[in-house]
Amino acid sequence: MKLLIIEDDIALANTLARRLTKHDFKSYVVNDVNEILQQCQILRPDFVLLDMNLNGVSGLKFIADIRAFLPASRIVLLTGFASIATAVEAVKLGADDYLSKPADTRLIVQTLLGQNGMNEQTLNTDTMSAERVEWEHIQQVLKVNDGNVSQTARQLNMHRRTLQRKLQKRPVLK
């Protein structure tokens, strides 16, 4: 089982590769956004673990191209800032699943193998706290505005600096 880990954090990528090798994955690591598509063509992995933020470049931008090169591969997006908006967007673009960091090795393996229900932990809206609902709403409005923080702040009737502070915080899990 060939796995391509696309992660800009070299230490994390190497740790993931070591851990997943123990679970019968032959792991390869790509840290440079300019090599992603080339390595997909060369390696033809069965699985792709793609980070959401690659040195300031959205991993979402690569999903459709990876899917075009690897129609049968399982693509899992891994992110430190999970939101319903990005999960939905990732799936629309061709990702098979979506995980939020930190994710333990067992959960990553289960998700790569398709043994974990899509976004059960991340997208359960029945038990979300008010803080989580606010985070999700901000993410959706930000997406509609193509990442424009000033425009998003105006639409949310919020000061731009307040919005920036909220965006810098890690989202509440529930």
Side-chain angles (χ1 to χ4, degrees):
M1 299 187 299
K2 281 196 275 188
L3 167 67
L4 181 60
I5 300 170
I6 303 169
E7 170 67 61
D8 60 336
D9 182 340
I10 296 170
L12 175 60
N14 291 334
T15 300
L16 284 170
R18 260 192 327 276
R19 289 182 181 173
L20 293 170
T21 298
K22 294 177 183 176
H23 292 274
D24 299 325
F25 287 96
K26 185 168 172 88
S27 301
Y28 301 89
V29 175
V30 173
N31 305 109
D32 185 355
V33 294
N34 299 317
E35 296 179 12
I36 293 173
L37 300 178
Q38 178 185 14
Q39 290 302 312
C40 285
Q41 287 180 314
I42 293 170
L43 297 171
R44 307 298 263 169
D46 304 301
F47 304 92
V48 176
L49 188 60
L50 174 64
D51 187 26
M52 175 73 169
N53 184 1
L54 301 163
N55 287 325
V57 178
S58 174
L60 292 172
K61 295 182 181 196
F62 298 99
I63 294 174
D65 290 334
I66 292 171
R67 178 58 66 209
F69 289 134
L70 308 168
S73 295
R74 186 155 170 82
I75 301 171
V76 176
L77 188 71
L78 188 62
T79 181
F81 297 97
S83 74
I84 292 173
T86 55
V88 170
E89 183 68 16
V91 172
K92 282 182 181 178
L93 291 169
D96 295 295
D97 217 321
Y98 181 90
L99 280 176
S100 60
K101 292 178 186 175
D104 65 16
T105 305
R106 179 191 55 78
L107 180 60
I108 293 172
V109 169
Q110 287 177 341
T111 304
L112 286 170
L113 296 175
Q115 298 169 348
N116 189 38
M118 174 70 181
N119 303 319
E120 287 175 4
Q121 67 178 23
T122 313
L123 302 179
N124 186 356
T125 56
D126 295 336
T127 59
M128 276 199 276
S129 68
E131 292 87 9
R132 182 63 187 201
V133 172
E134 178 187 44
W135 170 262
E136 295 296 341
H137 181 65
I138 288 170
Q139 292 300 313
Q140 288 174 345
V141 176
L142 191 62
K143 179 165 178 11
V144 167
N145 290 308
D146 296 321
N148 185 323
V149 175
S150 296
Q151 177 116 4
T152 301
R154 279 191 296 274
Q155 285 184 351
L156 294 173
N157 197 24
M158 184 182 298
H159 195 279
R160 186 176 191 280
R161 284 184 290 198
T162 302
L163 178 58
Q164 287 175 320
R165 277 195 303 275
K166 289 178 181 281
L167 290 171
Q168 289 175 349
K169 292 182 183 176
R170 293 187 67 85
V172 180
L173 291 178
K174 284 191 174 191

